[in-house]
């Protein structure tokens, strides 16, 4: 994985602006710990931070194609294009010369051959930038599901762009301004495709590319889910899911650096771990390394409606079955409260999140993994793709005319969703976060493709499934990707293979839940590689601490913050509500209501630190 930054200006001489783009690129040094490259011309400068996972001998990026002594085009890539070898052979058959420039050279050759249509030919997880030097035109693109990020900010005569917002904010012409709409996006957790939070900053939507010419900036769609009648039988569907998943896992195991699996002992991560162990065994590779997170706390694990079982026993059973080299990473309350960890987790994401302790625990977990591996394979997104999110089995949430995760937060005791209940009442009235969620939800509903003749239930489940792999993924994928990349750890997510997603999308809901349980197709597809205990285990999300000491620390910090009139977020806080929260740490310990209550507390901390660290100017 890598980091890309750049500046295009059709009126300005950018040969004198190398230092500006070098500073932008430097903000993402963690994304590319193995080297830095810079290319400059009169109207474009591209910067690249490189992380070597494969093809260590490939020429550095940005990679330039030169013909007759003249630069024709330049490319930089973040991520991995899995069909690079096939594309290289095809392009070579057309006579294109190759210099061993790795996948960036293949991207460049594809662009020279097919223009912007090249993007639809790439299979993988990627964000890329291609500067056509002759036409003075920039192409920016993002993969189909949005595994890799790419942000841009139009300027008067061009654009500033980067893999992370911080790269754009490092540009001297860009100010960290957040208006009402940006704050609504943060607080709603709507995952609006294309929203960049900071004023003027946009994120390329999944399955889209952006062209920047002298006539301006235009975004185009090259891929979207399409509705088709599913004609395969149940047996064929299960078999096809298995084949698609095996292919995705096999492709994503290729690496010239140490690779590992994140294992929770649940169906999703256990399934790809079992398939990976089998594939690596066939290749004669050493035993697979696996990592599991658990928490050190006062007292034993307490089951509740959401977290019904601890991960460790199930992970251990699978490890013994596949012969993995396993490490249990034990996290303590002191890790979650470490001010350096909290600051780094926020810095990784660039924007506040209601998932405060999930951010910090993930940071500590990834930090431990990075000591042993450069790549981690995760089971993320399987819940959304196979219908395993909690709201898929909760009729009141399915019928809500808003995002089901927002409705679930309200069902669990929230008043305005996640992370908002301790904000000033006047501010909340002005923001109208529920109204914003409802509007973004309606926008999403207009994009859902349907098939003719489906029942009301099938139609509704298709709509919710679509939200799972669009808006919800836009909140889920950056959560892990940004934190991991801040530590130089590359992530791979086999369930986010667009070919698998396309196929499962059109399987009817009656087939997705054919055995009356969540993720029926996936369970059936993995039945022969997993122990029965894991196949029958109830869904349990990423673990959170149940340590009362952590809850007490949150309440102490909340009391200090609400009592500080000089705090950056002081004007945003409902002081009375915050102090009332601080009096009841037991309400923050265990269960879904405690988890939602924590989001309100931790969002205040995140907002306060963000306003301070990023010198954000709120224009409300």
């Amino acid at each position: 994985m890598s980091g890309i930054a750049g500046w295009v200006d059709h009126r300005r001489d950018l040969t004198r602006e190398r230092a500006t783009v070098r500073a932008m690129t430097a903000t993402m040094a963690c994304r590319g710990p193995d080297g830095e490259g810079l290319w400059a011309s009169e109207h474009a400068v591209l910067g690249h931070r490189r992380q070597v996972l494969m093809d260590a001998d490939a020429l550095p990026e940005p990679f330039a194609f030169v013909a007759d002594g003249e630069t024709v085009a330049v490319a930089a890539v973040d991520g991995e294009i899995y069909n690079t070898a096939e594309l290289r052979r095809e392009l070579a058959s057309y006579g294109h010369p190759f210099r061993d420039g790795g996948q960036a050279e293949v991207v460049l050759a594809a662009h020279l051959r097919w223009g912007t249509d090249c993007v639809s030919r790439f299979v993988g997880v990627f964000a890329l930038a291609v500067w056509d030097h002759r036409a003075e035109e920039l192409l920016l693109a993002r993969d189909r599901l949005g595994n890799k990020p790419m942000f841009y900010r139009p300027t008067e005569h061009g654009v500033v762009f980067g893999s992370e917002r911080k790269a754009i904010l490092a540009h001297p012409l860009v100010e960290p301004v957040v208006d009402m709409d940006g704050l609504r996006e943060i607080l709603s957790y709507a995952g609006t495709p294309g929203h960049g939070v900071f004023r003027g900053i946009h994120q390329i939507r999944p399955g889209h590319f952006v062209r920047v010419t002298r006539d301006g900036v235009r975004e185009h769609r090259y891929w979207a889910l399409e509705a088709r009648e599913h004609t395969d039988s149940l047996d064929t569907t299960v078999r096809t899911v298995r084949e698609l998943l095996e292919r995705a896992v096999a492709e994503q195991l290729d690496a010239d650096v140490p690779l590992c699996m994140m294992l929770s002992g649940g169906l999703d991560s256990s399934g790809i771990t079992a398939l990976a162990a089998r594939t690596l065994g066939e290749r004669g590779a050493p035993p697979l390394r696996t990592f599991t997170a658990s928490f050190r706390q006062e007292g034993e694990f307490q089951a509740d409606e959401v977290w019904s079982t601890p991960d460790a026993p199930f992970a251990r059973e699978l490890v013994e079955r596949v012969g993995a080299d396993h490490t249990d990473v034990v996290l303590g309350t002191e890790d979650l409260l470490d001010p350096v960890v909290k600051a780094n987790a926020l810095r990784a994401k660039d924007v506040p999140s209601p998932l405060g302790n999930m951010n910090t625990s993930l940071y500590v977990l990834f930090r431990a993994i990075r000591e042993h591996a450069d790549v981690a394979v995760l089971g993320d997104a399987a819940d959304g793709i196979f219908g395993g999110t909690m709201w898929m089995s909760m009729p009141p949430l399915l019928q809500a005319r808003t995002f089901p995760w927002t409705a679930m937060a309200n069902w669990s005791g929230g008043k305005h969703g996640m992370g908002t209940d301790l904000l000033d009442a006047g501010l909340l009235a002005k923001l109208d976060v529920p109204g914003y969620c409802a509007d973004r939800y309606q926008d999403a509903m207009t994009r859902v493709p349907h098939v003719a003749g489906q029942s009301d239930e099938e139609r509704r489940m298709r709509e919710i499934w679509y939200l799972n792999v669009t808006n919800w993924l836009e909140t889920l994928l950056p959560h892990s990707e940004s934190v991991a990349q801040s530590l130089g750890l590359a992530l791979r997510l086999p369930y986010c293979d667009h070919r698998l997603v396309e196929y499962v999308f059109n399987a009817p809901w009656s087939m997705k839940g054919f055995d009356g349980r969540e993720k029926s197709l996936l369970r059936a597809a993995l039945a022969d590689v997993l122990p029965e205990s894991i196949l029958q285990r109830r869904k349990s999300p990423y673990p959170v601490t149940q340590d009362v000491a952590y809850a007490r620390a949150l309440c102490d910090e909340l009391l200090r913050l609400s009592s500080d009139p000089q705090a950056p977020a002081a004007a945003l806080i409902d002081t009375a509500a915050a102090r009332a929260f601080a009096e009841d740490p037991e309400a923050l310990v265990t269960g879904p209501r405690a988890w939602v209550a924590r989001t309100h507390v931790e969002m205040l901390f995140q907002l306060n630190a963000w306003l301070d660290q990023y010198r954000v100017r709120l224009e409300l």
Side-chain angles (χ1 to χ4, degrees):
M1 306 303 174
S2 305
I4 302 170
W7 183 9
V8 168
D9 194 305
H10 288 100
R11 298 283 185 87
R12 190 181 187 110
D13 181 3
L14 295 184
T15 58
R16 299 173 296 182
E17 300 294 347
R18 289 179 174 86
T20 298
V21 175
R22 184 171 286 113
M24 295 169 61
T25 307
T27 66
M28 301 180 294
C30 293
R31 293 185 75 90
D34 299 321
E36 178 183 277
L38 195 75
W39 181 91
S41 67
E42 184 178 3
H43 297 304
V45 186
L46 273 67
H48 184 263
R49 292 292 316 192
R50 185 186 188 199
Q51 182 178 21
V52 177
L53 304 180
M54 297 182 66
D55 301 326
D57 296 330
L59 295 170
E61 300 177 42
F63 180 86
F65 177 71
V66 179
D68 299 325
E70 178 188 1
T71 298
V72 176
V74 184
V77 181
D78 172 25
E80 295 167 290
I81 296 172
Y82 301 128
N83 61 334
T84 295
E86 295 93 322
L87 290 171
R88 184 190 296 270
R89 286 193 294 270
E90 180 179 359
L91 290 162
S93 73
Y94 299 137
H96 187 91
F98 284 96
R99 297 168 44 211
D100 196 21
Q103 63 181 7
E105 185 176 20
V106 173
V107 166
L108 206 51
H111 183 262
L112 292 172
R113 178 77 185 182
W114 297 303
T116 58
D117 288 343
C118 69
V119 182
S120 63
R121 294 173 179 260
F122 300 145
V123 176
V125 296
F126 58 85
L128 57 87
V130 177
W131 172 248
D132 187 326
H133 191 54
R134 293 175 299 187
E136 293 200 320
E137 178 178 314
L138 177 71
L139 169 70
L140 300 173
R142 192 173 176 213
D143 68 72
R144 294 165 179 81
L145 293 177
N147 287 270
K148 304 304 293 183
M150 177 61 79
F151 297 88
Y152 68 97
R153 184 187 185 277
T155 61
E156 186 177 2
H157 301 297
V159 70
V160 179
F161 58 94
S163 297
E164 297 183 5
R165 298 175 183 90
K166 63 174 64 67
I168 297 174
L169 293 173
H171 192 284
L173 297 181
V174 180
E175 296 184 6
V177 177
V178 174
D179 55 23
M180 293 288 287
D181 194 59
L183 191 55
R184 288 185 182 108
E185 181 65 22
I186 291 170
L187 297 173
S188 66
Y189 220 58
T192 305
H195 207 299
V197 175
F198 291 92
R199 179 184 290 172
I201 295 180
H202 310 275
Q203 182 166 204
I204 297 178
R205 289 178 286 177
H208 285 67
F209 65 82
V210 166
R211 291 179 64 213
V212 182
T213 68
R214 289 183 178 275
D215 295 328
V217 179
R218 300 286 184 274
E219 189 169 26
H220 306 266
R221 188 182 76 186
Y222 72 89
W223 179 86
L225 287 167
E226 296 179 358
R228 302 186 185 94
E229 184 180 359
H230 187 81
T231 57
D232 287 351
S233 68
L234 176 59
D235 287 345
T236 299
T237 300
V238 170
R239 185 170 61 252
T240 303
V241 167
R242 172 64 172 266
E243 291 169 354
L244 290 169
L245 188 55
E246 284 180 333
R247 178 172 65 175
V249 169
E251 288 176 342
Q252 297 189 34
L253 290 177
D254 290 334
D256 296 333
V257 295
L259 175 146
C260 71
M261 310 290 296
M262 275 185 59
L263 175 63
S264 70
L267 177 66
D268 312 339
S269 65
S270 298
I272 58 173
T273 298
L275 294 178
R278 176 178 290 186
T279 300
L280 291 176
E282 293 169 352
R283 296 178 183 177
L288 184 63
R289 289 215 64 165
T290 55
F291 291 82
T292 297
S294 60
F295 289 93
R296 182 174 58 253
Q297 60 191 40
E298 297 179 16
E300 298 294 324
F301 173 86
Q302 298 179 49
D304 57 45
E305 306 97 302
V306 176
W307 290 273
S308 57
T309 50
D311 290 343
F314 297 93
R316 193 177 306 117
E317 183 176 5
L318 187 77
V319 165
E320 293 172 355
R321 182 181 178 115
V322 303
D325 178 4
H326 184 67
T327 301
D328 189 15
V329 180
V330 182
L331 312 176
T333 291
E334 67 279 5
D335 296 314
L336 305 182
L337 297 175
D338 185 334
V340 173
V341 169
K342 292 196 292 185
N344 286 343
L346 174 59
R347 182 70 178 166
K349 297 172 75 78
D350 285 333
V351 292
S353 160
L355 309 180
N357 71 92
M358 286 186 168
N359 296 333
T360 49
S361 66
L362 201 61
Y363 181 91
V364 177
L365 173 60
F366 284 158
R367 185 177 63 185
I369 292 174
R370 187 65 180 88
E371 295 176 3
H372 306 278
D374 298 83
V375 181
V377 183
L378 277 65
D380 284 16
D383 281 332
I385 293 163
F386 288 97
T389 51
M390 287 180 288
W391 46 81
M392 299 298 281
S393 60
M394 302 174 72
L397 306 186
L398 293 175
Q399 299 309 315
R401 297 302 161 182
T402 189
F403 297 113
W405 51 93
T406 300
M408 187 173 71
N410 293 335
W411 174 78
S412 299
K415 298 176 183 177
H416 307 280
M418 293 187 291
T420 57
D421 284 9
L422 299 183
L423 295 175
D424 176 75
L427 174 63
L428 285 174
K430 190 175 180 181
L431 288 169
D432 185 19
V433 175
Y436 180 84
C437 282
D439 290 344
R440 298 291 79 76
Y441 163 83
Q442 289 297 337
D443 290 343
M445 289 297 97
T446 65
R447 298 190 292 269
V448 182
H450 287 284
V451 293
Q454 60 187 351
S455 67
D456 289 345
E457 180 189 27
E458 286 285 351
R459 181 181 182 87
R460 184 56 178 162
M461 298 310 286
R462 177 180 286 261
E463 290 172 345
I464 299 298
W465 193 97
Y466 182 85
L467 292 178
N468 285 346
V469 298
T470 53
N471 292 66
W472 180 245
L473 274 194
E474 280 288 80
T475 69
L476 177 68
L477 297 184
H479 173 63
S480 299
E481 200 272 352
S482 59
V483 175
Q485 287 281 216
S486 75
L487 292 155
L489 179 68
L491 300 185
R492 294 177 176 175
L493 286 73
Y495 291 110
C496 283
D497 185 293
H498 79 275
R499 298 160 295 189
L500 175 64
V501 173
E502 285 177 332
Y503 184 76
V504 177
F505 174 56
N506 283 300
W509 181 250
S510 58
M511 190 175 284
K512 290 188 176 85
F514 72 87
D515 63 359
R517 294 193 60 187
E518 81 287 351
K519 294 186 283 194
S520 303
L521 287 177
L522 181 60
R523 186 175 291 103
L526 297 171
D528 65 317
V529 295
L530 294 179
E532 191 67 18
S533 60
I534 292 177
L535 288 169
Q536 299 305 323
R537 186 188 180 193
R538 205 183 99 191
K539 166 68 184 173
S540 190
Y542 178 79
V544 295
T545 182
Q546 298 179 341
D547 192 357
V548 68
Y550 180 71
R552 293 191 193 108
L554 288 185
C555 290
D556 291 344
E557 187 175 352
L558 179 60
L559 191 59
R560 287 193 296 271
L561 175 59
S562 61
S563 301
D564 182 3
Q566 303 304 315
L572 308 180
I573 300 173
D574 183 334
T575 303
R579 290 176 178 171
F581 250 68
E583 293 175 358
D584 188 11
E586 294 292 336
L588 305 178
V589 176
T590 186
R593 287 183 175 271
W595 182 84
V596 171
R598 280 190 207 169
T599 70
H600 305 314
V601 176
E602 291 175 328
M603 178 59 91
L604 283 191
F605 300 160
Q606 291 258 310
L607 284 169
N608 192 64
W610 179 63
L611 293 171
D612 183 39
Q613 286 186 37
Y614 283 74
R615 298 293 187 263
V616 174
R617 187 170 80 245
L618 292 178
E619 293 191 356
L620 307 179

